[in-house]
Amino acid sequence: MDPKRWSLIAILSAAFGLTGTVWAGEPLPLLEAGWLAPEGQIEALSSEPNVSRETVHAAAKASDLSAHFPSEAALRDELLTGEFLFRSPLLLGGQAAKAGLSCQSCHVNGRGNPHFQFAAISDAPGTADTTHSFFSKTLGNRTFDPVPIPDLTQAGKVDHNPSNGDLEAFITRIVVDEFSGSRAVDEVIGPLATYVRALRLAGLPKEADYRSRSLMRDLTDIQATGEQARLRLKAGQWRAASLLMASAQGQMQNVYERLLADLHSEQRSWLVERSLQAGILRRALNARQASASEQMTQWKTELLETPDFTGIEAETLYNPRLLAKALDP
């Protein structure tokens, strides 16, 4: 691959303020490819488990979960916040955050990831050593013992009853102990637990079906993530708002990497500008600066003023044919 392109990716990661690189050898055009088995990269990067947000939300609304929220709108916002925190590349902290890993990296749309293969952490694709000292300061057992990555939509060992808090305690342990993340707070763990409970309630079949990755769906999710960050800031939930902004940045980086410099310079420039602005806002949120609310309003306003993305997906790395060429030029 062209070394100039590798330099661009390194600069991009720095500009988006999120990630480093996690692979050795030849550089890759997409950060996400760095934790995917080579033989599964095309499939993983061009498709994803088809988990309908509407199905998940409907299942939560019809369950006992709804009794814990004052309105259907409040439950919906909690689910969206949980989903977008699930995708935040800074939630887990430690080495995982440096690599750009999120919960979504291992559990794509809440399901498993049969193609996940992280150097020195995985054995066969779809496995991970959750007690490896690379990630954990406290749980490292000095034994290489990777296990299959579970599908969170299926029954497991942790009780999901919202009344006993077992799931919240389990997620806290993952963030703080398994990945050396920052001290977990209720405004972060609560939405994550609600989202994970709803995934189980959705009653999805054991065998996942897949849909194509979509540029327009990703852009819509960036907007939705920004809106949840705004709502969390309005509620005084600074930590959740900051992590949601990191999630939006991660999603913008994913889109940027799939656009072509010679065809989509306007769209790429817009993404970088919005991400740099989001990074400044994150620092204000982390410092709990009074100006954060005004900065959030400005960022949200400019996020709506998008360049034209319609009709370009076929000429981007969302197109499996172009993606395959980029991965193996």
Side-chain angles (χ1 to χ4, degrees):
M1 180 172 292
D2 185 351
K4 292 182 179 179
R5 184 164 192 180
W6 170 241
S7 298
L8 176 60
I9 294 170
I11 293 169
L12 172 65
S13 294
F16 279 81
L18 294 170
T19 57
T21 56
V22 297
W23 55 84
E26 286 298 310
L28 300 167
L30 302 179
L31 180 70
E32 186 181 347
W35 54 78
L36 296 172
E39 63 273 18
Q41 284 180 359
I42 300 298
E43 181 177 351
L45 293 169
S46 61
S47 64
E48 61 184 359
N50 185 15
V51 178
S52 164
R53 187 172 292 156
E54 292 74 18
T55 299
V56 173
H57 288 199
K61 178 185 173 183
S63 73
D64 292 342
L65 273 180
S66 60
H68 294 262
F69 297 90
S71 66
E72 180 182 338
L75 174 58
R76 175 185 174 278
D77 286 335
E78 185 84 348
L79 287 166
L80 286 172
T81 290
E83 179 183 348
F84 297 138
L85 288 171
F86 194 83
R87 302 181 189 183
S88 179
L90 296 186
L91 170 71
L92 299 177
Q95 296 298 326
K98 292 179 181 179
L101 292 172
S102 66
C103 302
Q104 173 85 350
S105 303
C106 289
H107 310 279
V108 183
N109 294 347
R111 309 219 63 156
N113 184 350
H115 305 300
F116 182 88
Q117 193 171 48
F118 193 102
I121 302 298
S122 302
D123 186 7
T127 65
D129 182 354
T130 59
T131 55
H132 197 290
S133 58
F134 178 77
F135 287 136
S136 177
K137 299 175 183 176
T138 58
L139 299 182
N141 61 6
R142 300 188 179 186
T143 301
F144 183 58
D145 48 3
V147 296
I149 295 170
D151 182 339
L152 302 183
T153 70
Q154 304 300 305
K157 298 178 181 179
V158 181
D159 188 353
H160 279 212
N161 187 330
S163 299
N164 60 28
D166 286 0
L167 183 58
E168 283 82 355
F170 179 74
I171 293 174
T172 297
R173 176 180 175 273
I174 290 174
V175 173
V176 176
D177 295 329
E178 192 171 307
F179 287 98
S180 305
S182 300
R183 181 182 64 85
V185 292
D186 290 344
E187 68 192 55
V188 172
I189 298 302
L192 282 167
T194 299
Y195 174 60
V196 172
R197 287 189 177 102
L199 286 170
R200 178 81 60 85
L201 291 167
L204 298 174
K206 186 173 183 180
E207 296 298 324
D209 66 310
Y210 285 79
R211 65 190 181 196
S212 298
R213 299 281 284 266
S214 164
L215 168 61
M216 300 312 293
R217 187 163 56 239
D218 285 351
L219 291 170
T220 298
D221 282 353
I222 291 169
Q223 299 281 357
T225 304
E227 176 59 12
Q228 291 306 308
R230 185 190 69 81
L231 292 173
R232 294 291 159 168
L233 175 57
K234 185 178 179 180
Q237 298 181 1
W238 299 85
R239 177 62 176 161
S242 176
L243 287 171
L244 286 166
M245 292 304 299
S247 181
Q249 282 186 286
Q251 293 173 60
M252 285 188 281
Q253 179 171 347
N254 290 339
V255 172
Y256 177 102
E257 290 175 342
R258 290 173 180 265
L259 303 182
L260 305 183
D262 55 342
L263 296 178
H264 313 121
S265 59
E266 181 185 2
Q267 292 89 344
R268 284 158 61 101
S269 295
W270 178 84
L271 286 163
V272 170
E273 289 168 4
R274 296 291 76 74
S275 185
L276 289 171
Q277 188 179 5
I280 294 170
L281 175 52
R282 270 181 40 226
R283 287 193 287 275
L285 290 168
N286 293 338
R288 300 199 171 200
Q289 295 175 1
S291 63
S293 180
E294 182 179 348
Q295 291 182 50
M296 177 71 79
T297 299
Q298 179 68 22
W299 184 79
K300 280 283 294 169
T301 298
E302 295 185 7
L303 194 65
L304 293 172
E305 299 171 354
T306 64
D308 188 8
F309 283 91
T310 58
I312 70 169
E313 184 162 324
E315 58 192 27
T316 71
L317 299 192
Y318 285 90
N319 181 329
R321 179 181 60 81
L322 298 181
L323 175 65
K325 184 177 180 181
L327 290 173
D328 187 21

